[in-house]
Amino acid sequence: SAVISQKPSRDICQRGTSLTIQCQVDSQVTMMFWYRQQPGQSLTLIATANQGSEATYESGFVIDKFPISRPNLTFSTLTVSNMSPEDSSIYLCSVEVSGGNTEAFFGQGTRLTVV
Amino acid sequence: QKEVEQNSGPLSVPEGAIASLNCTYSDRVSQSFFWYRQYSGKSPELIMSIYSNGDKEDGRFTAQLNKASQYVSLLIRDSQPSDSATYLCAVKRYSSASKIIFGSGTRLSIRP
């Protein structure tokens, strides 16, 4: 497995502002993903963070709203832009470990509340 | 049809009994299957992975996979109150995207 550090763990933000969430892994990983989990719901994949290139977004998610960076094999950021109360959710970083059995492991998540 | 379907529950099981959680998936090219446990307010934790037809046992947990029926299940023997959580079924297919799709989760409650 891998040790995944995600921060901040929680935040309360004003509508119209942006928040950047960081995900740091203790080893190089092949794949990094960002998920959203709305209250009482399951996980929805936002995008795959690609090292050195633009992220691959899922249907319903766009780069202008959720810009993602992945400058190297151990670090990624997700920004939630121009926030509204509907963005209140838990955001989760997930990784697949290089040479592993393709299982995905999760960071502890960021609980975002937009007021 | 959802890609991964689970009964949302809640599923209530007496302590010491067997809890049976079920999941179906729609994409026949799926190749990897996972069960995650999620406690309230926490992130998902991988508890089982299975890749081939049949049973896979790990302690009190047994995962069962039937690719012909597109069905995967999780059995928890000797259920404990600490097993009370939401269990997420997840499926991965090998494509250029290589992404994991999650079901909506089954809430399990173990009653003393």
Side-chain angles (χ1 to χ4, degrees):
Chain A
S1 65
V3 177
I4 305 164
S5 300
Q6 190 175 332
K7 59 181 182 181
S9 58
R10 59 177 62 229
D11 207 341
I12 300 174
C13 300
Q14 296 290 322
R15 68 178 67 201
T17 63
S18 299
L19 176 71
T20 295
I21 303 167
Q22 297 182 2
C23 180
Q24 178 73 55
V25 191
D26 69 341
S27 58
Q28 293 187 349
V29 295
T30 51
M31 305 292 287
M32 295 182 77
F33 304 92
W34 288 98
Y35 286 86
R36 181 174 73 183
Q37 188 172 31
Q38 294 179 305
Q41 304 295 316
S42 187
L43 283 73
T44 300
L45 181 62
I46 297 172
T48 302
N50 299 308
Q51 191 262 327
S53 64
E54 189 173 290
T56 304
Y57 289 85
E58 296 300 305
S59 176
F61 297 96
V62 295
I63 188 171
D64 289 347
K65 176 67 176 177
F66 298 101
I68 288 171
S69 77
R70 189 179 175 191
N72 56 52
L73 292 175
T74 64
F75 184 78
S76 179
T77 66
L78 167 74
T79 298
V80 186
S81 303
N82 188 25
M83 288 182 285
S84 67
E86 291 71 35
D87 294 319
S88 297
S89 187
I90 297 173
Y91 293 85
L92 292 150
C93 171
S94 172
V95 306
E96 289 182 19
V97 178
S98 304
N101 290 325
T102 75
E103 297 113 339
F105 300 94
F106 288 86
Q108 68 269 41
T110 297
R111 183 179 295 272
L112 170 63
T113 302
V114 184
V115 297
Chain B
Q1 180 187 9
K2 291 183 180 179
E3 291 190 64
V4 182
E5 295 210 51
Q6 296 180 255
N7 188 321
S8 63
L11 175 66
S12 181
V13 173
E15 184 175 355
I18 296 175
S20 178
L21 304 164
N22 304 314
C23 172
T24 59
Y25 59 95
S26 61
D27 191 343
R28 285 193 170 273
V29 302
S30 300
Q31 296 190 5
S32 302
F33 307 87
F34 311 97
W35 284 99
Y36 288 82
R37 178 176 62 200
Q38 187 174 28
Y39 293 113
S40 180
K42 301 295 184 182
S43 61
E45 171 193 9
L46 179 69
I47 55 172
M48 289 288 286
S49 57
I50 187 166
Y51 304 99
S52 56
N53 281 328
D55 295 359
K56 178 181 178 182
E57 186 175 318
D58 184 0
R60 296 187 296 112
F61 298 97
T62 298
Q64 300 174 319
L65 175 61
N66 184 328
K67 289 188 177 181
S69 300
Q70 296 175 239
Y71 175 91
V72 58
S73 66
L74 179 70
L75 301 178
I76 306 174
R77 290 182 299 280
D78 187 23
S79 297
Q80 303 296 311
S82 60
D83 295 325
S84 297
T86 296
Y87 289 80
L88 301 168
C89 174
V91 171
K92 182 174 182 177
R93 53 190 168 173
Y94 282 94
S95 66
S96 59
S98 188
K99 59 188 179 184
I100 295 177
I101 306 299
F102 285 82
S104 57
T106 298
R107 191 154 48 95
L108 174 65
S109 176
I110 306 301
R111 57 182 190 270

